[in-house]
Every structure is written in C-alpha cells, then in structure tokens.
Amino acid sequence: MRVLGIETSCDETGVAVYDTARGLLADALHTQAGVHEAYGGVVPELASRDHVRRILPLIANVLARAGLDLRDIDAVAYTEGPGLAGALLVGASVANALGFSLGKPVIGIHHLEGHLLSPLLADRAPSFPFVALLVSGGHTQLFEVEGVGRYRLLGDTLDDAAGEAFDKTAKLLGLPYPGGPALAVLAERGRPGAIALPRPMLDSGDLDFSFSGLKTAVALRARAGRSDGNPLALSDAVKADIAYAFQEAVVDVLVAKALAALAATERSTLVVAGGVGANRRLRERLAIELERRDAQLHFPELRYCTDNGAMIALAGALRLAEASTGYAFSVRPRWELRTLAAA
Ligand code: KG4
Ligand code: ZN
C-alpha cells in the first residue's frame, strides 16, 4: 500500500510517499524560515499562504521522484492537528480533495504521533515497546509506547517546552529565527563552567519538566552582564558561554528524566523524536548514558527530527494497517439523536 503524506501544521510544507512493502519512496520539504525570519517568529497568515503556494508543486515533485502517478496512491494521510488552524486547513483541504477525486481513503494524523513514530523510518528501526522522549517546539513529553496508538504519558512539561526555551533564549541573545539550531551552534564555542544555571525539576522525583524558570535565569544572567542591561550588546564570547550553559542545563534535565523513565518502566529502548532531537549535545550525552546501561537508543535521521511529510505518511500507513484503527466504515447501532445537538 502506498500512502501519500502531507504535513502543513506550522512553517514547513512536507510531502512524502511511503510504501508498506518498500519503505519511503520519496519525500520533499519546503521550509518557510525565510518567510518568517524578518518577524522573529511564525506569522500564521503568511504560513498558510505559503503552504498554498508550495503544496501542489511539492506533491508533483514527490510523485515524479517516486516514479508514480496520482492513481498509484492507495491512501492520503495529512496532519489533522495540533498546529496553526489556517496552515492545517491547507493540508486537510488538499488531502481530502485528492481522496475524494481518486476515491481513496483519507486519514487525519496527530502531528505528535507522526513525531513519535518517526524513528521507525530508520533502517535500524526500534521495536515496540519503548520509551519515547518527544522534544518538539511545543512539547516536552515522555511516553511509554507499546504499539501504534498505545501511548502512555509518563511526564510532561508544566510550562515551556525545551524547544520553546531554546527559541526564546536564542531570541534574547539576538540570534536569527529559528533560534534553536543557531543557539546550539553558538554553544559549541562556549566555555564549560563559565556560567552557572539551574537544572529545573531535576530532583522533583517525577517525570515532569519545567523550563520557564531556566529561561528567566538566563534572561537575568544576560542582563546582569551589561551595565545598560541590554543582552543584545553582550560580547560574542559571553553569548557563547550563556548558550553553552543553557544547552547543558536543558540536556542534563532531558537525559536525567529519560533515564528515570527507562528505570520506572523497566524498558531498555529509548526513542528520541521532535526538533530538539536534532541537538548534537543531547544525542552525544544520551548515547554515552545508554551505552553505559546497555540500553538501545534510536533517533530519526536529522531531517526527520523536525517537521516532515515522511512521518505523516508512515503514521498513516501504520494506522491503516492496524486492524482496530484501520480505515473502515463504521456504524453506530446505538446513536442518540440528542448527541448530535451537542456535537
Ligand atoms: O518538531 P519540530 O520541528 O516542530 C514542532 O512540532 O514543534 O521542532 C521545532 C523545535 C524548535 O523549537 C527548534 O528550535 C528546535 O526544535 N530545534 C533545536 C535544534 N533543531 C531544532 N533545538 C536545539 N538544537 C537543535 N539542533
Ligand atoms: Zn513537529
């Protein structure tokens, strides 16, 4: 079965074709970083308009590279949410129009499920069950994953997500949007021990996270470094020290909680997914710690850490393959009329 996957939840237009027998046939991504850079963040209306411009050429491109015609597609999967409403509507409209015209099933996918299953795109794919550390721009969560659709939330962030904290800290230091990757690059030049920052919730005894206090600590430290209180005017060397200290603090917490989740569930496989999963320091530290414990570590390839169409096509294929959740007609033998009014 060949599934066309469409991702338009935020500022990346992603399209891919996943074949259940042969794996990923082709995928393409258009990133809108250039569109939003001048504004320092995603402008929803501009994001929607850009998705409209890109989506059909991207679909044509992916099909051509896969050597397929639209009629060769067996199902269409799209990101149904969460995300920016206008941006989601572009993918939803195109996917449903395609499905309707081709007479093929259309399946809406939860964006985070796409991230969660993305490590299965790798040649060396993890097998269920595993613990997943989901670190995207809006979420920092730990799950116990027993199979497709069987996700148990173990821990969540009480405020900011790690990716969001990366982005806000980057903005504070005057780095260009999107800030997370730029902050990670700057951190490479920072000096260990130059600046001390807290490790929020490290010893909280649960698997939850909190990053807003760390973000505030960085802001205070950065302002204190200048008599005029302007963090943008700090020297590049001091900014690098702050970036280093911030990244170490986030990584320390993520690593500690991921290890605690493995211990609590008695699982020995950790899967990391989402944009912050592209962070080199996080990857290095987890690799060392898991090897020490003889546990398995799986990351998606770097390009499948951030938003992409491949993870949506894969999740669609897996969902359709699941007998219990597959695309099927359903009937509701007991269906009270009054429930319609509430819907
Ligand atoms: O998963 P994703 O592409 O989008 C969401 O679904 O939110 O994640 C984007 C997040 C952003 O906050 C971005 O700054 C962060 O991932 N990110 C990174 C790195 N690459 C992307 N954070 C730290 N280090 C990186 N190398
Ligand atoms: Zn995402």
Side-chain angles (χ1 to χ4, degrees):
M1 185 201 292
R2 297 188 197 99
V3 180
L4 178 70
I6 297 175
E7 154 65 36
T8 64
S9 68
C10 190
D11 58 347
E12 247 119 25
T13 321
V15 175
V17 181
Y18 186 85
D19 186 321
T20 44
R22 294 163 57 204
L24 194 62
L25 298 185
D27 74 303
L29 187 78
H30 171 75
T31 172
Q32 300 179 353
V35 174
H36 306 290
E37 195 177 356
Y39 305 94
V42 180
V43 183
E45 178 59 23
L46 294 183
S48 313
R49 288 189 216 168
D50 201 58
H51 285 307
V52 170
R53 266 194 299 274
R54 307 289 173 181
I55 187 123
L56 294 179
L58 273 181
I59 292 174
N61 171 302
V62 162
L63 288 174
R65 285 197 289 117
L68 298 175
D69 186 84
L70 262 183
R71 280 173 290 272
D72 299 322
I73 295 298
D74 300 302
V76 186
Y78 69 98
T79 303
E80 189 173 347
L84 301 171
L88 288 166
L89 272 169
V90 179
S93 313
V94 170
N96 282 286
L98 276 177
F100 186 67
S101 61
L102 297 168
K104 296 291 164 64
V106 177
I107 180 164
I109 296 294
H110 194 294
H111 180 78
L112 296 177
E113 178 172 42
H115 277 302
L116 209 59
L117 298 174
S118 62
L120 299 176
L121 287 165
D123 290 339
R124 192 183 68 92
S127 38
F128 299 115
F130 52 74
V131 168
L133 172 65
L134 182 66
V135 271
S136 68
H139 294 80
T140 301
Q141 297 176 320
L142 280 159
F143 287 96
E144 183 174 30
V145 178
E146 292 194 349
V148 176
R150 293 164 63 203
Y151 316 126
R152 187 164 72 90
L153 184 67
L154 302 169
D156 202 348
T157 180
L158 305 180
D159 40 56
D160 289 2
E164 197 177 343
F166 259 95
D167 294 337
K168 288 179 179 166
T169 301
K171 200 167 182 178
L172 179 88
L173 297 178
L175 298 177
Y177 166 87
L183 192 78
V185 170
L186 182 63
E188 306 256 326
R189 292 192 275 119
R191 292 167 304 157
I195 285 170
L197 288 174
R199 267 77 177 141
M201 313 258 307
L202 192 63
D203 301 312
S204 61
D206 56 25
L207 298 172
D208 290 332
F209 305 87
S210 162
F211 291 106
S212 92
L214 175 61
K215 184 191 63 187
T216 309
V218 172
L220 289 174
R221 179 63 189 79
R223 294 205 177 95
R226 287 277 310 178
S227 54
D228 60 5
N230 179 10
L232 296 179
L234 289 168
S235 71
D236 283 350
V238 174
K239 285 183 181 176
D241 287 343
I242 294 175
Y244 180 93
F246 169 81
Q247 179 172 264
E248 288 302 300
V250 172
V251 169
D252 272 354
V253 176
L254 293 177
V255 170
K257 299 273 172 165
L259 294 175
L262 285 172
T265 53
E266 297 181 5
R267 302 292 184 201
S268 57
T269 303
L270 179 72
V271 156
V272 183
V276 184
N279 186 272
R280 235 184 58 171
R281 187 72 178 133
L282 176 65
R283 288 178 168 240
E284 278 170 13
R285 289 278 310 282
L286 281 174
I288 293 168
E289 295 299 336
L290 268 79
E291 197 182 333
R292 208 173 267 165
R293 287 162 179 77
D294 218 8
Q296 308 298 310
L297 177 62
H298 293 264
F299 285 101
E301 272 179 55
L302 280 183
R303 64 201 177 113
Y304 301 132
C305 279
T306 43
D307 293 348
N308 64 86
M311 66 184 193
I312 302 302
L314 170 76
L318 293 174
R319 280 275 173 190
L320 288 164
E322 283 272 293
S324 56
T325 54
Y327 184 83
F329 292 102
S330 68
V331 292
R332 301 199 227 184
R334 290 164 169 277
W335 194 4
E336 294 203 40
L337 186 59
R338 65 184 168 82
T339 61
L340 276 182

